[in-house]
Amino acid sequence: MNSITPVELQKKLENEEALPIIDVRETAEVKTGKIPGANNIPLGLLEFRMNELDKAMQYFVVCQSGGRSSQAVRFLEYQGFKVVNVDGGMSAWKGQLQ
């Protein structure tokens, strides 16, 4: 499983215009703040909303601490998507919030 730290992700965001980020936390958790531009698809809805994703793109998947995002990454990899887990999740995120 490919992974990246929140610090590495933040550096990528600073150097690139936009990265496709999927936040798999529940809606109520996202209300406390999310990475700017992240698309919220709760883990329980991922199976039903993966048609919104493009298999040609690489996605960065984040949750609160890294557990749910690693589940999402395994699921999406099995479906043929290119995904990277954000180790440590939002608990380790020091960047801006939206």
Side-chain angles (χ1 to χ4, degrees):
M1 174 185 317
N2 288 332
S3 63
I4 189 171
T5 68
V7 171
E8 291 168 328
L9 179 62
Q10 188 174 351
K11 285 180 184 166
K12 280 184 164 293
L13 286 169
E14 289 167 0
N15 294 329
E16 299 178 33
E17 288 162 31
L19 291 174
I21 299 169
I22 303 169
D23 189 327
V24 295
R25 295 178 298 156
E26 295 300 315
T27 308
E29 292 175 281
V30 172
K31 286 182 181 173
T32 65
K34 67 174 186 159
I35 298 171
N39 184 14
N40 178 227
I41 304 177
L43 181 60
L45 298 178
L46 195 55
E47 178 181 356
F48 308 103
R49 292 186 53 193
M50 66 182 177
N51 63 325
E52 299 172 21
L53 307 177
D54 181 350
K55 287 187 178 178
M57 295 179 70
Q58 181 180 53
Y59 293 92
F60 295 85
V61 185
V62 66
C63 67
Q64 191 60 42
S65 61
R68 286 175 284 179
S69 59
S70 65
Q71 287 179 18
V73 164
R74 282 194 296 274
F75 172 75
L76 289 170
E77 279 179 337
Y78 183 76
Q79 302 298 325
F81 290 94
K82 293 179 273 192
V83 284
V84 177
N85 186 42
V86 180
D87 279 338
M90 294 303 293
S91 295
W93 180 256
K94 304 289 187 235
Q96 286 185 304
L97 295 174
Q98 182 179 23

